[in-house]
Amino acid sequence: MYQIDTIESITIEATNFCNAKCPQCARYDNYGDIAKGLPLIHINPKNLENLPLQKMKNLKKIKFNGNYGDPLMHPQIDKIFETFQNYTITVSTNASLRSTAWWEKLAKYNMKVKFAIDGLEDTHLLYRRNTDYKKIMDNAKAFIDAGGNAEWQYIIFKHNEHQVDEAKLLSEKLGFKGIVFQYSDRFLAANKTPVYENKKIAYYLESATKQKTMHELSGVKEGTFYTKNFLNNENMTSEIQCPWAETKRLQISADGFVFPCCFMLNILVDKPIHKKLWEKIIKSYSGINLNYHKFEDIITSEIFQKLIPDSLKNKPHITCIEHCAKNFSKGKLFHQEETVLNSVND
């Protein structure tokens, strides 16, 4: 069960707005248009100011990590950071926003900033579309030189895999605390993804040479969506090993919903059946929304005390099965792949 005084970390989707147009991002459909059903909204700062922080005795970390948006797009993000200045803050961003002066001031917070930089100047924009590589590097330098704690996050594709060693050297030169390499887990049915301009294919993103993509890891043939083998009879009755519950984390969406994890947040713009199945479990979407209820009332409600825990044991949501089934899940497969990747690049 969920308890106010045991929560250790909260991840906040500050906004659903983003300046970038990454081809595999959930905020866009296959043609690069905003996904249907996605509300373009900024989180209400009052919903965060009203969190019962004095009762959350074990709360240590606040993470700003967007499923759909970049936290720096929120017009009052400075005010939001002030709300959590007594906690360790982690911000994930494409960093192609704000002035260098703003970044210098950001260094005053107890904060780690994860800079999403996927390659060098000639390759970065193939994935992080609509961002400015030079501006990102200027912002990173301003933040680091002012004493900021910066980490470089690098998604490896075929088009930038030859630059890994050069990126390592550059990260050290600029003063990043570290550089973390990862594969995209969004090659779901094949080893390449088309990138569209005006409904026409402009180019393809291709998986890294040594990467095993989700359809390969899950054992389905190319062109078949990877979830086919996840949703078998054995997995449907599998125990759910929820990493968010185990590490006492919760997610708050830009439109005020409190979710047990970031994966569940995606159902709001996912297939309608996924949204209906979650409503069947929790009975009411308004019951988990900060615009209608206090955070403490949501956590102590039947939804978080009984309905969600019971669902994990008896009839888990299809998203829980896909990501966190103990037998066979996306999370388990991709964690194994990430472990291999980082051992290769150490």
Side-chain angles (χ1 to χ4, degrees):
M1 291 194 300
Y2 297 84
Q3 303 294 337
I4 289 289
D5 61 356
T6 61
I7 297 169
E8 295 182 6
S9 176
I10 297 177
T11 299
I12 298 169
E13 176 99 45
T15 179
N16 286 341
F17 286 87
C18 190
N19 59 308
K21 198 173 182 179
C22 305
Q24 294 179 328
C25 179
R27 80 188 309 268
Y28 299 107
D29 65 17
N30 292 338
Y31 294 104
D33 297 323
I34 300 294
K36 292 180 180 178
L38 178 65
L40 294 179
I41 192 171
H42 301 300
I43 199 167
N44 185 345
K46 288 186 178 180
N47 285 338
L48 301 177
E49 293 167 9
N50 291 333
L51 292 177
L53 297 177
Q54 71 282 359
K55 295 182 180 181
M56 301 170 76
K57 299 178 182 179
N58 282 320
L59 183 62
K60 301 177 181 69
K61 300 177 182 178
I62 303 293
K63 299 181 180 181
F64 294 90
N65 185 25
N67 283 35
Y68 304 111
D70 191 290
L72 302 194
M73 288 291 289
H74 197 295
Q76 295 178 281
I77 195 63
D78 303 75
K79 181 180 180 181
I80 292 173
F81 288 157
E82 286 290 340
T83 300
F84 301 106
Q85 62 181 319
N86 294 325
Y87 301 89
T88 300
I89 300 173
T90 301
V91 179
S92 297
T93 175
N94 66 64
S96 185
L97 292 160
R98 310 280 176 151
S99 67
T100 52
W102 183 88
W103 279 94
E104 289 172 357
K105 292 178 181 178
L106 192 67
K108 71 178 181 180
Y109 293 100
N110 179 23
M111 173 186 293
K112 174 192 282 188
V113 176
K114 296 183 178 182
F115 289 77
I117 312 171
D118 303 319
L120 301 179
E121 187 168 13
D122 60 330
T123 58
H124 169 77
L125 293 178
L126 290 174
Y127 186 68
R128 298 284 166 182
R129 305 179 80 200
N130 289 2
T131 66
D132 185 323
Y133 180 85
K134 184 179 184 304
K135 183 175 179 62
I136 295 166
M137 288 305 186
D138 287 343
N139 288 341
K141 189 174 187 304
F143 179 68
I144 293 168
D145 289 351
N149 178 0
E151 179 180 279
W152 182 333
Q153 289 192 318
Y154 188 121
I155 301 176
I156 301 179
F157 296 96
K158 188 174 182 179
H159 64 259
N160 64 14
E161 62 187 10
H162 64 289
Q163 296 174 323
V164 164
D165 289 338
E166 190 176 350
K168 284 182 183 178
L169 293 174
L170 181 59
S171 69
E172 293 171 4
K173 179 181 178 181
L174 292 174
F176 281 90
K177 299 290 185 180
I179 182 167
V180 176
F181 297 98
Q182 62 190 80
Y183 289 139
S184 167
D185 63 348
R186 296 173 183 175
F187 290 100
L188 305 179
N191 295 63
K192 61 182 182 179
T193 298
V195 180
Y196 288 86
E197 286 282 4
N198 300 319
K199 308 298 184 185
K200 295 182 179 180
I201 297 175
Y203 57 91
Y204 286 91
L205 287 176
E206 296 185 66
S207 61
T209 302
K210 296 181 180 180
Q211 176 183 1
K212 290 187 180 296
T213 57
M214 286 311 304
H215 76 279
E216 293 172 320
L217 290 169
S218 56
V220 299
K221 64 181 181 180
E222 186 171 355
T224 302
F225 201 65
Y226 75 102
T227 54
K228 180 178 180 181
N229 283 357
F230 284 127
L231 306 179
N232 53 41
N233 290 334
E234 181 183 355
N235 224 35
M236 292 294 279
T237 57
S238 172
E239 179 183 349
I240 300 300
Q241 190 169 12
C242 179
W244 283 62
E246 290 175 358
T247 54
K248 300 176 175 61
R249 293 185 286 165
L250 287 172
Q251 170 88 43
I252 299 176
S253 71
D255 38 358
F257 290 101
V258 180
F259 285 104
C261 70
C262 65
F263 305 120
M264 297 308 301
L265 189 156
N266 282 340
I267 66 174
L268 295 182
V269 293
D270 206 343
K271 298 176 182 177
I273 185 63
H274 291 187
K275 188 174 180 179
K276 289 179 180 178
L277 286 172
W278 184 240
E279 187 173 26
K280 186 176 181 180
I281 289 172
I282 65 173
K283 297 182 179 179
S284 167
Y285 273 101
S286 64
I288 59 170
N289 196 293
L290 294 172
N291 292 308
Y292 303 103
H293 302 281
K294 294 180 180 179
F295 181 83
E296 186 171 7
D297 292 339
I298 293 173
I299 300 305
T300 57
S301 70
E302 182 188 28
I303 295 173
F304 271 86
Q305 293 302 306
K306 186 177 188 306
L307 300 181
I308 294 176
D310 285 355
S311 76
L312 296 180
K313 297 176 183 177
N314 302 316
K315 292 184 178 180
H317 189 275
I318 195 168
T319 299
C320 297
I321 296 169
E322 175 188 344
H323 288 276
C324 300
K326 195 170 183 179
N327 289 340
F328 185 54
S329 68
K330 182 178 181 181
K332 189 173 183 179
L333 289 175
F334 201 64
H335 176 71
Q336 293 170 349
E337 184 78 342
E338 289 284 81
T339 301
V340 172
L341 169 65
N342 284 295
S343 65
V344 168
N345 284 287
D346 281 343

